């Protein structure tokens, strides 16, 4: 298990100190380890979806992408190794990153059926069947702000459509973002990468312009890994999934945190590239039951 000095870099410490939660962060940080425990290994093997975050080596842009497969396509193959069978679609902005030795990646396995999630960050090694990640840190998150979806089905014959690319959001894409109850965010720092989840009632994310998104940072586990990364490196990638049609809206850009005098935190994301892929994943999930922890979005 890591010490809290190893868990947190200067960016996370700066945010913790600003908010006044260093003691709580130290306590929570003791739960982060290097190894994949048996309960975590069992959890991974049940999942049909894995979100991966990294920086694309061609451009330096940070992206978050969905990978899917028959449960078992993600599994623990060693005390600190997670293996993934298959890989991203050739059009995926992380296709090169996920085939490159040593890429820093953050991964998130999220199960809406049980409202459980697990994060594993580390370094990538290509394999003959896909890739493996040697874990630097492994930990579970609480179910806060995670919508419950009781079941899913695999839609036969659903294949990714041609991606639509741009440098700003269309009106339809802005409406999709503002109707979302969940998105995923990838961030990076000098020694690694991370993928995390954000959730709330529809409307918790706003798109006030074609190149800007904003959302309130709800109270969480006090670690401030995502905001700490952004304090050190503003590059970020966002992923919005359509849980019915399988469409994936991926954005890359930069994000910064605004701290209000009343203690509220708001993240402002500036879009630099948009990748909108119809039918990106073959999963169709049941309707959500919203988390009782979700605050009401602003009017």
């Amino acid at each position: 298990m890591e010490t809290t000095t190893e868990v947190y870099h200067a960016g996370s410490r700066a945010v913790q100190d600003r908010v006044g939660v260093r003691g709580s962060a130290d306590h929570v940080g003791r739960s982060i380890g290097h190894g994949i425990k048996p309960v975590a290994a069992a959890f991974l093997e049940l999942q049909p979806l894995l979100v991966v975050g990294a920086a694309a080596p061609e451009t330096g842009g940070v992206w978050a992408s969905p990978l899917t497969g028959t449960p078992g396509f993600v599994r623990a193959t060693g005390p600190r190794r997670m293996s993934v069978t298959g890989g991203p679609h050739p059009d995926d902005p992380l296709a090169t990153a996920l085939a490159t030795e040593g890429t820093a990646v953050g991964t998130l396995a999220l199960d809406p059926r049980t409202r459980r999630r697990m994060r594993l960050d580390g370094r990538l090694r290509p394999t003959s069947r896909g890739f493996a990640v040697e874990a630097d840190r492994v930990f579970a998150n609480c179910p806060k702000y995670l919508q419950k979806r009781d079941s899913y089905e695999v839609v036969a014959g659903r294949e990714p459509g041609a991606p639509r690319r741009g440098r700003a959001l269309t009106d339809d894409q802005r409406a999709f973002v503002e109707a979302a109850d969940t998105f995923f965010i990838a961030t990076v720092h000098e020694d690694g990468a991370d993928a995390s989840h954000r959730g709330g009632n529809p409307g918790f994310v706003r798109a006030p312009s074609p190149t800007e998104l904003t959302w309130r940072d709800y109270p969480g586990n006090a670690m401030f890994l995502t905001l700490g990364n952004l304090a050190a490196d503003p590059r970020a990638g966002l992923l919005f999934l359509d849980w019915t049609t399988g469409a994936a809206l991926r954005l890359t850009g930069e994000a910064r945190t605004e701290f209000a005098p009343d203690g509220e935190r708001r993240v402002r994301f500036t879009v630099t590239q948009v990748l909108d892929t119809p039918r990106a994943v073959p999963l169709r999930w049941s309707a959500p039951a919203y988390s009782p922890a979700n605050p009401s979005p602003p009017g």
Side-chain angles (χ1 to χ4, degrees), residues 176-239:
F176 175 61
V177 163
E178 294 196 337
D181 60 55
T182 299
F183 72 91
F184 303 93
I185 179 167
T187 56
V188 295
H189 58 90
E190 185 178 8
D191 296 317
D194 184 63
S196 190
H197 152 278
R198 293 293 184 270
N201 290 335
F204 85 106
V205 185
R206 297 296 193 189
S209 83
T211 57
E212 185 179 56
L213 273 63
T214 182
W215 63 90
R216 180 183 160 200
D217 185 67
Y218 296 150
N221 55 23
M223 290 193 288
F224 290 109
L225 299 180
T226 297
L227 297 195
N229 285 353
L230 294 177
D233 187 328
R235 291 178 296 164
L238 308 185
L239 167 65

Side-chain angles (χ1 to χ4, degrees), residues 85-111:
T85 300
H89 190 274
D91 289 330
D92 193 298
L94 293 181
T96 299
L98 300 185
T100 301
E101 182 84 29
T103 295
V105 297
T107 71
L108 172 67
L110 179 150
D111 191 344

Side-chain angles (χ1 to χ4, degrees), residues 73-95:
F73 89 106
V74 181
R75 58 195 180 93
T77 53
R80 292 181 56 180
R81 183 182 301 114
M82 179 183 74
S83 295
V84 179
T85 300
H89 190 274
D91 289 330
D92 193 298
L94 293 181

